[in-house]
Amino acid sequence: MTTDNAEATGDADWEREPDPSDSLRTFGAVVQALREHAGFSRVEFGGLVRFSKHTVESVELGRRMPDESFVERAEEALGNTGALRKSARFLTRGEAGLAAWFRRWARLEKLAVSLCTYECRLVPGLLQSEGYARAVFEGTIPVVSDERLEALLAVRTDRQRMLYERPTVPFSFIVEEHLFRRRFGDAEQMRGMLDHVLEHSAPRNVTLQIVPLDGGLHTCLDGPVQLLETPEGRRFAYSEGQQNGRLIADVREVSLLQQRYDTLRSQALNPKDSRGLLERLRGEL
């Protein structure tokens, strides 16, 4: 717990959240809405709760986890409705190693009764070897710290356990051939990546199909997509681009994407031929 003097000068020893969670962003938005409704500026409100305006701003933007004293004083200053005290109980920190726009999908992934993935940019995360994943993360801009890099790798490895820990859940992957030909590191690392993909696509509940280079144009040229079904029978889709991701719940749009995926299944190599292609690529190294 911080001291009143530190709070008053804005020097509270709070850690800035490296990955603001949805709950922190929501709580902050509620604080801001109540503050503005009460007619306080951030400076005025900071004086009431004995924190600097910069700390108030950080809480409102979801960048900092509010401590108990902030919540209590904010509650008193904003009418004692109980809204802040009750909602503060559900605050959680961001999940290290997951982009903010991917977190909702990652939670759905853990519950899914089926998961389909089409990729045209890089080997799917659930199939990446450590060496491949490390090379991907090391090449990001801005450059990540060593600590952040290890957190990203740990989360990716943890996600991959789904393929083995959920043997009755079907996982389907359709991947463009050129992704397995794109070089990174040396020949040994390339072989390690192909071995990893072959191993992780071997279980009976995992299906890997490759779209060959000579396969021509197809139905999923708009970009990568993931699809899943929940235990309640609801279907969702997820599409990702530069610095953003979109969770799709609209029934008609998800149905359209599922139709495209199903059509691409018939255009890609079958699982046996796909494994044969990977083994040939490995032999060429």
Side-chain angles (χ1 to χ4, degrees):
M1 192 70 68
T2 52
T3 65
D4 288 356
N5 287 338
E7 293 160 0
T9 58
D11 294 328
D13 187 22
W14 289 0
E15 290 291 333
R16 180 187 176 98
E17 296 296 311
D19 298 288
S21 66
D22 291 341
S23 64
L24 278 175
R25 293 179 190 277
T26 301
F27 180 85
V30 172
V31 172
Q32 181 175 358
L34 291 174
R35 173 183 62 76
E36 292 175 347
H37 181 73
F40 298 129
S41 68
R42 280 177 174 154
V43 173
E44 292 169 332
F45 185 64
L48 292 172
V49 297
R50 286 181 273 168
F51 285 88
S52 72
K53 79 166 189 175
H54 301 293
T55 297
V56 171
E57 179 182 22
S58 291
V59 171
E60 291 183 349
L61 295 177
R63 294 174 180 164
R64 292 183 186 270
M65 173 72 77
D67 69 6
E68 184 178 345
S69 63
F70 182 97
V71 175
E72 285 300 317
R73 293 169 191 165
E75 184 70 73
E76 293 170 5
L78 298 173
N80 271 317
T81 64
L84 298 183
R85 287 192 189 96
K86 291 180 179 179
S87 59
R89 301 172 192 166
F90 302 99
L91 287 175
T92 59
R93 296 190 182 278
E95 299 167 80
L98 288 179
W101 56 84
F102 186 73
R103 289 174 192 148
R104 288 182 63 195
W105 180 260
R107 289 194 288 270
L108 288 170
E109 229 180 23
K110 294 177 181 178
L111 304 173
V113 296
S114 69
L115 181 68
C116 299
T117 301
Y118 164 67
E119 256 301 349
C120 56
R121 305 166 307 168
L122 72 169
V123 174
L126 291 177
L127 297 178
Q128 290 178 6
S129 66
E130 181 181 346
Y132 184 96
R134 185 178 292 276
V136 170
F137 294 138
E138 287 179 342
T140 59
I141 296 177
V143 177
V144 299
S145 66
D146 290 344
E147 182 181 15
R148 172 70 172 166
L149 176 62
E150 295 305 319
L152 291 167
L153 289 170
V155 169
R156 184 137 302 179
T157 301
D158 185 63
R159 285 183 60 228
Q160 290 183 356
R161 294 196 186 102
M162 288 192 298
L163 300 177
Y164 295 95
E165 293 176 349
R166 308 180 66 196
T168 61
V169 173
F171 293 86
S172 170
F173 298 92
I174 303 178
V175 185
E176 298 283 350
E177 178 183 344
H178 71 266
L179 301 183
F180 298 114
R181 290 183 177 274
R182 178 174 292 157
R183 295 302 182 100
F184 79 98
D186 55 25
E188 182 178 352
Q189 289 176 303
M190 285 291 296
R191 281 192 292 269
M193 180 268 287
L194 293 171
D195 286 340
H196 188 86
V197 173
L198 286 165
E199 178 185 349
H200 280 63
S201 60
R204 289 189 298 113
N205 62 314
V206 182
T207 302
L208 171 64
Q209 292 181 256
I210 296 177
V211 181
L213 290 175
D214 60 1
L217 304 180
H218 57 71
T219 60
C220 288
L221 294 177
D222 284 347
V225 65
Q226 296 185 61
L227 300 132
L228 63 73
E229 182 179 354
T230 69
E232 299 76 30
R234 293 194 64 188
R235 293 181 180 274
F236 294 91
Y238 176 77
S239 178
E240 190 170 86
Q242 294 279 347
Q243 290 297 107
N244 66 79
R246 178 171 170 245
L247 179 64
I248 304 167
D250 180 79
V251 175
R252 287 176 295 182
E253 189 170 357
V254 173
S255 177
L256 174 62
L257 293 171
Q258 186 70 61
Q259 290 176 48
R260 292 179 180 177
Y261 188 88
D262 290 341
T263 301
L264 185 56
R265 270 179 167 159
S266 67
Q267 298 170 316
L269 297 176
N270 64 45
K272 180 180 179 181
D273 290 343
S274 295
R275 291 185 67 82
L277 174 56
L278 289 183
E279 289 167 352
R280 289 196 301 276
L281 291 176
R282 189 191 186 287
E284 293 172 3
L285 294 170

